[in-house]
Amino acid sequence: MTELDDIIEDLDAPCDDRDIVEHERAYNEELQSKPVVSSRTQFSYAYVLVKSSYDNDIRKGIRLLEELCRSGVDQRDFVYYLAVGYYRLRDYTPAMKHCQRLLEMEPGNQQATQLLEIIKKKRKKDAMIGAAVLGGGAVALTGGLLVAGAVVAAGIAAVRRR
């Protein structure tokens, strides 16, 4: 297994639902007791949401990370996990955009460079799978039309023979 395979495995591995519940509780407690949730608590909650198995959780994590980015606090991790969130949703264009943004902030950042490489490979693979599915669908459609045409032609020939 290569280093990139290890990273992909980590990116694709969801966090435990109990972690989400625990971080959500801490986030909501802080939200109730303070005028503003600390960036640390919000980031921790966003992180587990981005690592969730559920797309809606991932989207919520992305929203929380985007709020943190607007706050101007410690952008690096926020931007990286935005890229991870979009990657996990298979929304590769914004995922790549956030990797490139991180590389502008920190040229040579290995995490961003590796994630960008993974996203490009995954996007290419998904495009090839999509093309194969479309191609198979077109073949099936064409085959179905040919069969239907043959049935109609046979029916017309049978009617003419009478």
Side-chain angles (χ1 to χ4, degrees):
M1 202 172 198
T2 67
E3 184 180 354
L4 282 183
D5 290 332
D6 290 341
I7 294 168
I8 292 168
E9 188 176 311
D10 183 55
L11 290 170
D12 291 340
C15 70
D16 191 288
D17 288 344
R18 291 182 301 246
D19 289 337
I20 294 173
V21 170
E22 179 184 320
H23 284 87
E24 181 178 34
R25 182 191 50 72
Y27 178 85
N28 286 329
E29 281 178 8
E30 202 168 306
L31 191 62
Q32 298 292 325
S33 65
K34 297 180 181 179
V36 177
V37 175
S38 72
S39 59
R40 180 185 196 105
T41 300
Q42 186 166 335
F43 174 73
S44 295
Y45 184 37
Y47 169 81
V48 295
L49 288 171
V50 163
K51 295 286 289 173
S52 172
S53 299
Y54 308 102
D55 287 355
N56 285 336
D57 285 349
I58 297 170
R59 285 185 194 93
K60 184 176 182 178
I62 287 171
R63 280 192 305 275
L64 291 171
L65 289 166
E66 286 172 342
E67 284 177 19
L68 287 168
C69 284
R70 285 191 295 274
S71 73
V73 180
D74 193 14
Q75 297 271 323
R76 184 222 173 280
D77 287 337
F78 307 156
V79 174
Y80 177 76
Y81 283 104
L82 277 168
V84 169
Y86 283 113
Y87 162 82
R88 296 196 75 232
L89 289 174
R90 295 187 180 309
D91 196 350
Y92 300 126
T93 300
M96 291 172 61
K97 180 186 89 170
H98 284 93
C99 285
Q100 290 162 344
R101 180 175 164 201
L102 183 52
L103 287 168
E104 288 171 9
M105 293 163 55
E106 292 183 15
N109 180 297
Q110 283 300 304
Q111 275 187 307
T113 302
Q114 290 169 331
L115 182 55
L116 190 57
E117 183 179 341
I118 289 166
I119 293 166
K120 286 177 180 178
K121 285 181 180 180
K122 191 81 161 175
R123 187 163 107 170
K124 184 176 181 180
K125 179 181 174 186
D126 286 0
M128 289 178 10
I129 290 170
V133 168
L134 281 175
V139 167
L141 179 62
T142 302
L145 291 175
L146 289 174
V147 169
V151 169
V152 169
I156 291 171
V159 169
R160 285 188 179 164
R161 279 188 238 139
R162 288 188 184 182

